Amino acid sequence: MSYRDLNPSLRTIMTPGPVETEPRVLRALSTPTCRTIRPRTMEMLRKLFQTENKWAFPVDGTSRAGLEAVLCSIIEQGDVVLVPIYGRFGHLLTEIAQRYGAEVVNMETSWGQVFDPAEVIQEIERVKPKIVAMVHGETSTGCMQPLKEIGEACREKDILFVVDAVASIGGVDVRVDEWKIDACIGGTQKCLSAPSGMAPITFNSRVEALLLQRKNIEQGLAEQKASEAVRSRIIRSNYFDLSQLMDYWSPTRLNHHTEATSMLYALRESLRIVLEEGLEERFARHRFHERALVKGLQAMGLELYGDSRSKLPVVTCISIPEGIDGESVRSMLLRDFEIEIASSFGPLKGKIWRIGAMGFSCRKKNILSVLAALEAVLVRHGAKINPSKGVQAALDVYQEIA
Ligand SMILES: *Cc1c(COP(=O)(O)O)cnc(C)c1O
């Protein structure tokens, strides 16, 4: 009995993650595993997060491993956590926080919109949480929440501000220090264009102080008979205990779990690519291709979904035209053009398509291909669009710099 070789098609991936892997990252993945490269990787991560924090390292596991590591390490039984929700991933933050014993207070805005920071600050004043946890770029709705004012308000009131920047990091400006973010979680398979399997995080000395307090309690338990209340302060997870991961990532390199060396090589190479390109240049590239894509879609006669003032540059959501079967369009794109775009979840299921233009997937060939293919497929489905206008409008944008 023999098993066939893996032979995946080289499809064009225009989803909001996972995206096409950088060829250099694929090569790095096949490097023989021996040398560890931790200090330099931490240095590059600090630059990615635009922070002077001592701690910046990846957590092994997909992005939600990073969310879980941060939340489980700072949440103690009964802590009040405010999670403003404007899409699917706000619900994930809520769920994780609840599992670790938090009393979560939610506020919601309609999907396709973000919060007015003043509204969140008002709720912070009312709820007086220990932690505020928020998503920066909501891939489910294609929206991006302004964070600076909320971060400043949290710092002023000594509240910890935790941000899910999984979808935005490396594609959009994320200023951890300037926006007073205490802990920030990124992702590898989105704008960094590495495979999934690691979650880069960073946190500051305010978070570190809390972690060390909880670690001391744990160490003290062996010697004294601690009360139930004290005992309950121990971090609930071993794998995700950031105080242990700090030792693991410190110069003493205390062993915690086996290093995911190949993934570390992949992450390191993706960071090298980001820093070689330059953060500003990279953000500008994402905005530029976004403009070509949006102009193309609009010229085709399609309507974008969501409030354009708070659009996440790396994800573009399109309202599915009346009478068109969104899933049939997606499967024809995949079958005949080998191009993958995404649908959405919950209340938006069947209502929108989502096109990601992230990292290595964010390039001219992909933007023009997705526009051309979408035009053809929509004509095939009998949609009333302006055929051939979309690609031309995008080409106009590209010719501006030719
Ligand atoms: C993709 C994504 C996640 C979850 O990432 P996984 O790697 O699937 O665990 C979390 N938050 C946001 C905003 C995302 O876009």
Side-chain angles (χ1 to χ4, degrees):
M1 166 105 196
S2 71
Y3 298 97
R4 279 187 297 129
D5 263 1
L6 276 177
N7 193 16
S9 73
L10 290 175
R11 65 172 65 152
T12 301
I13 308 179
M14 297 301 279
T15 64
V19 307
E20 295 170 19
T21 309
E22 282 274 2
R24 274 173 57 183
V25 171
L26 289 174
R27 286 199 293 278
L29 274 165
S30 61
T31 311
T33 53
C34 62
R35 248 180 71 228
T36 57
I37 41 163
R38 292 190 203 170
R40 283 297 157 85
T41 305
M42 292 174 81
E43 205 175 284
M44 288 194 283
L45 280 175
R46 281 184 205 108
K47 291 183 178 156
L48 176 74
F49 282 114
Q50 305 186 55
T51 182
E52 304 284 327
N53 286 347
K54 177 175 172 195
W55 299 109
F57 55 77
V59 173
D60 296 334
T62 67
S63 313
R64 74 182 60 207
L67 299 176
E68 188 148 347
V70 166
L71 292 174
C72 87
S73 298
I74 62 175
I75 290 172
E76 300 178 43
Q77 190 69 36
D79 279 347
V80 177
V81 179
L82 176 66
V83 183
I85 296 179
Y86 62 102
R88 178 192 185 206
F89 289 105
H91 288 285
L92 177 64
L93 290 172
T94 301
E95 208 233 280
I96 296 173
Q98 281 169 341
R99 281 181 187 245
Y100 287 101
E103 307 244 352
V104 177
V105 179
N106 287 130
M107 57 191 292
E108 295 201 40
T109 176
S110 43
W111 287 38
Q113 309 245 318
V114 296
F115 293 95
D116 174 356
E119 209 185 326
V120 177
I121 293 166
Q122 213 172 44
E123 190 65 0
I124 290 172
E125 278 160 5
R126 193 185 69 80
V127 174
K128 301 189 172 46
K130 171 172 135 180
I131 299 159
V132 173
M134 278 197 99
V135 176
H136 181 223
E138 248 303 344
T139 21
S140 61
T141 62
C143 288
M144 182 164 73
Q145 173 69 48
L147 297 174
K148 188 166 189 272
E149 289 168 87
I150 301 171
E152 282 167 354
C154 286
R155 185 65 53 92
E156 213 172 86
K157 298 175 196 349
D158 199 22
I159 293 165
L160 292 176
F161 189 37
V162 175
V163 170
D164 169 348
V166 171
S168 47
I169 200 77
V172 178
D173 211 1
V174 178
R175 304 186 180 196
V176 167
D177 289 359
E178 196 183 315
W179 298 348
K180 308 277 189 284
I181 298 171
D182 292 297
C184 190
I185 300 97
T188 52
Q189 78 270 31
K190 299 190 181 174
C191 297
L192 296 186
S193 295
S196 64
M198 266 190 174
I201 66 167
T202 186
F203 54 88
N204 61 19
S205 55
R206 285 155 48 86
V207 171
E208 182 179 7
L210 176 60
L211 297 173
L212 293 178
Q213 246 184 43
R214 297 184 78 182
K215 185 178 170 184
N216 286 339
I217 292 171
E218 190 188 330
Q219 286 173 342
L221 280 187
E223 294 130 42
Q224 67 196 44
K225 242 173 98 79
S227 69
E228 206 41 51
V230 169
R231 201 174 280 278
S232 80
R233 294 196 61 197
I234 297 174
I235 294 172
R236 291 284 149 200
S237 168
N238 169 290
Y239 197 78
F240 290 141
D241 178 344
L242 288 183
S243 73
Q244 293 194 39
L245 292 176
M246 269 157 46
D247 292 336
Y248 175 74
W249 281 91
S250 71
T252 55
R253 297 182 45 183
L254 216 63
N255 191 47
H256 176 257
H257 64 282
T258 308
E259 181 184 78
T261 312
S262 294
M263 265 310 290
L264 198 51
Y265 291 167
L267 173 65
R268 173 183 179 274
E269 190 62 12
S270 73
L271 293 171
R272 255 168 35 99
I273 293 168
V274 170
L275 298 178
E276 274 169 20
E277 183 174 2
L279 288 180
E280 283 310 317
E281 291 76 6
R282 195 170 171 93
F283 303 152
R285 166 165 66 87
H286 282 87
R287 283 194 302 271
F288 176 61
H289 290 290
E290 177 203 27
R291 190 150 66 83
L293 176 63
V294 165
K295 287 261 191 245
L297 293 168
Q298 287 172 335
M300 221 189 282
L302 291 170
E303 211 174 293
L304 298 194
Y305 167 84
D307 187 343
S308 61
R309 290 165 304 177
S310 47
K311 186 182 174 305
L312 174 61
V314 297
V315 181
T316 299
C317 298
I318 307 159
S319 299
I320 298 174
E322 275 295 309
I324 298 296
D325 176 352
E327 284 311 285
S328 169
V329 168
R330 281 203 327 125
S331 52
M332 187 171 173
L333 279 172
L334 193 56
R335 194 180 60 238
D336 294 319
F337 295 88
E338 297 192 36
I339 296 176
E340 189 175 355
I341 67 170
S343 54
S344 196
F345 320 91
L348 295 178
K349 198 166 188 298
K351 297 222 168 69
I352 64 168
W353 293 302
R354 297 176 304 143
I355 297 181
M358 297 174 150
F360 182 60
S361 281
C362 180
R363 58 193 202 275
K364 185 172 164 182
K365 164 189 167 283
N366 284 19
I367 300 288
L368 292 175
S369 304
V370 77
L371 285 169
L374 190 60
E375 273 179 345
V377 172
L378 284 173
V379 168
R380 206 78 185 166
H381 278 74
K384 289 190 197 62
I385 57 158
N386 312 316
S388 84
K389 289 275 196 283
V391 177
Q392 293 303 319
L395 282 172
D396 287 343
V397 173
Y398 286 120
Q399 255 152 23
E400 284 171 22
I401 56 150

